[in-house]
Amino acid sequence: MSETRIGVCNLCEAICGLELTVEGRDVLSVRGNRADPLSRGHICPKGVAIADVYVDPDRLRRPVRRLGEGADATWQEIGWDEAFDLVADNLARVIEQHGDDALGVYLGNPNAHSLGSMTHGTAMFKSFRTKNRYSATSVDQLPHQLVAHLMFGHQLFLPIPDIDRTSWFLVIGANPMASNGSLMTVPDFPQRVRDLKARGGRMVVLDPRRTETAKVADEHHFVRPGTDAWVLLAMLHELTTRSTPTVASYVDGLDTVVELVAGFTPERAEEMSGLPAEEIRRLAGELVTADGGVVYSRIGVSAGPWGTVCQWAVNCLNILSGNLDRVGGALFTTPAIDAVGTGLIGRGHFDAWRSRVRGLPETAGELPVSALREEIETPGEGQVRALLTVAGNPVLSTPDGARLDTALRDLDFMAAVDIYVNETTRHADVILPPTTALERDHYDLVFHLLAVRNTARFTPAVFDKEADQRHDWQIFREITLRTAARLSRKVPLKKRLVQRARLTASPTFLIGQLLRRGDSGVTLSKLRARPAGIDLGPLRARQLPDRLPSKNKRIDLAPAVVVEDVARLAAVPRPVGDELLLIGRRHKQDCNSWMHNSERLTRGRPRHQLLMNPEDLDARAITDGARVRVTSRVGTVEVEVAASADLMPGVVSLPHGYGHAKDGVLMSRSRDVPGVSINDLTDPELLDVSGNAALNGVPVSVSAC
Ligand SMILES: Nc1nc2c(c(=O)[nH]1)N[C@H]1C(S)=C(S)[C@@H](COP(=O)(O)OP(=O)(O)OC[C@H]3O[C@@H](n4cnc5c(=O)[nH]c(N)nc54)[C@H](O)[C@@H]3O)O[C@H]1N2
Ligand SMILES: Nc1nc2c(c(=O)[nH]1)N[C@H]1C(S)=C(S)[C@@H](COP(=O)(O)OP(=O)(O)OC[C@H]3O[C@@H](n4cnc5c(=O)[nH]c(N)nc54)[C@H](O)[C@@H]3O)O[C@H]1N2
Ligand code: SF4
Ligand SMILES: [Mo]
């Protein structure tokens, strides 16, 4: 007998509601749940493939221990108790012998998509007192967080585009038609854009590639990679020179902004970016006169050389044009569990300490992952000797991954919490696999906070876990408690008991408690009665200054970190020569570096190629489809090239998350997925002031093989 179950997709930030038809433990079909007030029935190819992860024979279900190395490695299943003890013994040994900082931790992207990780993972990381904390944040959204911390007083108090009511939407360095939105939880982006146009609104895209999003926009303009800062500052220049801007009484620093942008003329921006000065002037004018307009920018810009300045400028544009906290502009969510207002997630800080080898500043307790490799390789006090990775694959996802791959072999001990042997976890001594999306309860603590509409939803596990499986929160609990028990460091009894109680309560229990602390009226039992989710309405305007997390309830338009970086920007000379600049690419069917085991996501036309403008191919006498050698400061890869007029001349593009061939040790079928890792070319020396990697705009040369 088949039955219908409500599920949720946790593969990207769109958090689509699912309707599954199941029979026993088999998934017969997966559809979008039309009753879901946020996703309204939307689903993408990956959502359907969520069942492929569940049934994948290569997915780990029990802990494995590595025997041998590299091509000779084999994996032996071991019991959970043995695995937990192995991890705790070794983490404690390294900490006792070499100090707290000898343990490195790396957190990957799926942590943000797992309730257990948010409730229990964070407690585990806090229990380790290492400064060597790293995550995918510093190859992603770190500039957004730093800017929110500096301007609004909290790293996750992020303004969200009011896409359902805006009339003018400027998208810079984002491709939501493929990515389904980021720092903007926006399931069904295609329909929302159609609605925007139907009500007479416009979408404008700035991107060095004519992307899927550019193709459905009203306007698209090329910008040279890495030069958006000049464009954004020129728009601010225009805003502040055509008339005297006014800002709300709770906003400080306007004079400094006016001064800072004085030299950033549209003509200067044209020289740097290629975007004509008159277009920049017109765009600034349209933002001001729009009846609710908003500027939105994402990873093409935040993972660039001036990510922090750019995200600051985006906020300034929205504020100075009167579009922050206004319907159709940029608004703050009011989630049923307010992880910001309740202090569940810390405000953030910057430069409280620095990395040992390169002296890079921390942000919100983390060091830039671009520094991880050198912290493992460089001897001395504080050297990373043991590593714990959770749901991550830094060998494929962080700059100079090839060299990190080599460095990981030098560790005394490595453990991974992951559901696959991947390019990174293959170096682990032991891998502890948690249950996956369909086997665990979910409430989204992160993405309701970033969504284009206020909703709340609790999704019980679709399938019960098998007796010999563990949820991630149970794994975090065991690692924390068993490691602590082996350390000579004395923790007061009361503190230990509180920690134990916190780690023993299930995530679902904690969600019930957190909901009661809020004033939304939503309770766990109401959510259980309405598994499609509860609609809490559109985003609210006119919430400021009361909602501001900053202690003085004010917005700072001129944080020192930004002011200093703008001065550095002003000194950059005009680009010369005809070097090629490498940018990234996301496809609908890809999910960062994993999901390449799914047949339905990997069949069809190959999409791993280097895309290059036909003019650039001609100039090098390279034919479409040829194998080419791509070289950057840090490495060389060989890959097929595909001609594409969608690429701005002078720009080449590779997707990230490819390159699974490593010593023949692979995520099984992914061996058939061709391609190379873009991060064997990206450069750990290229950083934004926040410490975020500048993954886009990497200088490369391309020649025929
Ligand atoms: N050049 C370039 N590099 C990039 C990017 C880019 O645009 N260009 N994008 C960057 C961005 S935005 C990100 S977020 C990073 C991602 O980088 P990472 O977070 O390092 O890597 P992922 O590919 O997301 O790998 C996730 C791993 O988690 C495992 N996993 C999946 N679900 C679970 C789970 O529920 N629990 C556990 N424990 N494990 C699970 C998967 O098997 C996989 O091995 O890549 C970054 N790297
Ligand atoms: N299908 C799919 N969806 C995903 C993911 C995935 O791997 N696959 N990953 C998820 C994750 S972890 C994240 S963080 C989000 C990211 O979501 P998005 O930010 O929407 O990610 P991308 O699709 O990489 O879009 C970045 C865009 O920036 C452009 N770009 C590159 N360099 C520059 C530049 O210098 N200036 C400008 N203006 N543009 C530039 C690129 O051409 C690209 O179109 O996507 C999420 N959704
Ligand atoms: S858009 Fe994102 S959340 Fe929705 S089905 Fe696709 S991968 Fe899942
Ligand atoms: Mo990401």
Side-chain angles (χ1 to χ4, degrees), residues 46 173 175 178-179 206-208 211 225-226 228 299-300 586-587 590 592:
K46 287 189 293 174
N175 186 13
S179 70
L206 305 185
D207 198 301
T211 60
D228 304 85
I299 198 168
R586 279 179 165 74
H587 304 116
D590 287 328
N592 293 323

Side-chain angles (χ1 to χ4, degrees), residues 84-98:
F84 290 137
D85 282 342
L86 192 65
V87 174
D89 282 346
N90 281 287
L91 297 190
R93 173 180 60 80
V94 168
I95 293 170
E96 288 289 303
Q97 278 176 13
H98 303 287

Side-chain angles (χ1 to χ4, degrees), residues 239 243-248 251 254 319-322:
L239 243 62
S243 62
T244 313
T246 51
V247 287
V251 178
L254 178 61
I319 294 170
L320 266 59
S321 63

Side-chain angles (χ1 to χ4, degrees), residues 108-190:
N109 166 277
N111 282 292
H113 299 269
S114 160
L115 173 59
S117 210
M118 294 310 297
T119 55
H120 290 64
T122 25
M124 176 176 79
F125 301 117
K126 271 198 190 134
S127 79
F128 303 137
R129 299 181 187 170
T130 176
K131 294 198 181 80
N132 281 304
R133 286 182 54 177
Y134 303 88
S135 84
T137 290
S138 54
V139 279
D140 189 346
Q141 81 285 3
L142 187 57
H144 294 259
Q145 290 183 211
L146 177 59
V147 163
H149 161 66
L150 296 172
M151 296 181 80
F152 307 127
H154 195 290
Q155 57 176 333
L156 280 185
F157 195 64
L158 300 172
I160 308 300
D162 188 15
I163 185 172
D164 290 339
R165 290 177 294 182
T166 194
S167 63
W168 194 85
F169 188 29
L170 177 58
V171 176
I172 311 177
N175 186 13
M177 285 297 282
S179 70
N180 294 294
S182 183
L183 302 187
M184 170 175 70
T185 283
V186 58
D188 205 2
F189 182 80

